Amino acid sequence: MIRDAYAVRTGIGPRPLAGGRLPRPVIEIIERDDGLINGAPADHYLDEPEQWQHHDHRALRLCRGAVLDIGCGAGRTAIELQRRGMAVTGLDTSPGAVEVARARGLRDTVITDVDTYAARAASRYDTFLMLGNNLGLLEGPGRAPAFLAALAELARPGARIIAHGTDPYGTKDPVHTAYHRRNRERGRLGGQLRLRLRYRRLTTEWFDYLVCSVAELEGLLEGTRWRLTSIDDEDRPYYLAVMELQP
């Protein structure tokens, strides 16, 4: 999907065509386990800084030292940090996304998940960046402790996580409020999404993706080496959470 979006934007590489001539819009389909289906243009993975949200710019100003951009996708934020002279590694599980990130100029990339990288990497980081709502990679209470422990293994003393999240509970849309209720009845957090992504004839496996309140995030940090030190909710319901490693 990201390779196709890059080809449509740049003209580099084969493009999906409509009617054999015109480039077809590249749309990411998001399917939730209650049957809700949404679609969004995949072009935003390639956005340059002038197209970013305000909280993205504020997040990059908080980065320091060596940065691991987790779920880097097409390299949107990692490339900008590199332009600013920072040491940054882009990590993603998608070979196609990393291929595009490298084609766009990102020099240091890793194709793996956080757990595998923590088990084998010699590198250590001062900042873990999780933008594009990638706080969702915590998945939920069952997964969060292991994910956070892996980051602690990769961390230098005093390291921080800078993560973008969304508080799901401000909505009055009955489609979403019913889903929150359904989740709680099943012993899950209200915004603990169960999703799969679709593009053309490709479909991912079902996976959990967490959309949580700040209070729920604090609960997930209990018993880990990370502590919530600041919340920037200027653009609420979106927020930036800064978590720092404890000695």
Side-chain angles (χ1 to χ4, degrees):
M1 181 189 72
I2 291 179
R3 279 196 299 253
D4 283 355
Y6 181 66
V8 169
R9 177 176 281 204
T10 65
I12 299 170
R15 294 171 289 167
L17 301 179
R21 293 185 59 190
L22 300 176
R24 181 184 299 275
V26 176
I27 304 296
E28 179 177 42
I29 303 300
I30 303 167
E31 183 180 358
R32 202 167 68 184
D33 65 342
D34 64 339
L36 179 68
I37 296 176
N38 281 319
D43 191 64
H44 73 92
Y45 290 108
L46 304 164
D47 281 352
E48 294 292 339
E50 57 269 19
Q51 300 165 298
W52 292 1
Q53 298 296 314
H54 295 300
H55 51 257
D56 289 329
H57 292 282
R58 297 198 299 274
L60 262 60
R61 291 197 289 269
L62 297 172
C63 293
R64 62 190 184 194
V67 180
L68 182 65
D69 185 4
I70 299 169
C72 69
R76 182 176 68 93
T77 52
I79 290 168
E80 178 59 21
L81 288 172
Q82 184 177 277
R83 287 173 184 152
R84 298 181 187 187
M86 297 192 72
V88 56
T89 300
L91 180 147
D92 206 288
T93 58
S94 167
V98 170
E99 176 187 324
V100 171
R102 293 192 65 82
R104 299 176 73 206
L106 184 59
R107 292 189 291 268
D108 189 7
T109 59
V110 182
I111 304 171
T112 191
D113 56 58
V114 163
D115 305 79
T116 303
Y117 191 52
R120 74 181 191 204
S123 300
R124 294 294 178 265
Y125 298 92
D126 303 287
T127 302
F128 300 100
L129 194 60
M130 299 170 63
L131 297 189
N133 221 35
N134 271 346
L135 186 61
L137 296 174
L138 293 179
E139 297 185 16
R143 167 67 177 144
F147 186 95
L148 293 166
L151 295 192
E153 288 295 317
L154 289 164
R156 290 176 177 162
R160 59 173 51 171
I161 302 169
I162 302 167
H164 169 219
T166 304
D167 188 327
Y169 303 123
T171 182
K172 296 181 180 178
D173 186 330
V175 171
H176 298 306
T177 56
Y179 187 76
H180 298 159
R181 264 194 321 275
R182 174 177 178 263
N183 267 345
R184 292 190 186 101
E185 288 167 359
R186 298 163 67 199
R188 293 163 63 87
L189 295 179
Q192 191 175 344
L193 310 180
R194 188 73 175 165
L195 305 173
R196 64 180 177 180
L197 306 181
R198 306 180 72 113
Y199 174 65
R200 303 192 83 187
R201 295 192 298 175
L202 302 176
T203 308
T204 70
E205 299 294 330
W206 289 98
F207 61 92
D208 281 355
Y209 198 76
L210 183 63
V211 184
C212 67
S213 68
V214 172
E216 288 171 333
L217 174 59
E218 288 186 289
L220 293 174
L221 296 177
E222 290 179 8
T224 77
R225 295 183 59 196
W226 299 94
R227 295 294 176 270
L228 185 65
T229 56
S230 73
I231 288 289
D232 172 353
D233 62 356
E234 185 176 331
D235 298 324
R236 53 186 171 272
Y238 311 118
Y239 60 86
L240 290 175
V242 177
M243 293 152 274
E244 294 193 355
L245 184 69
Q246 304 302 296

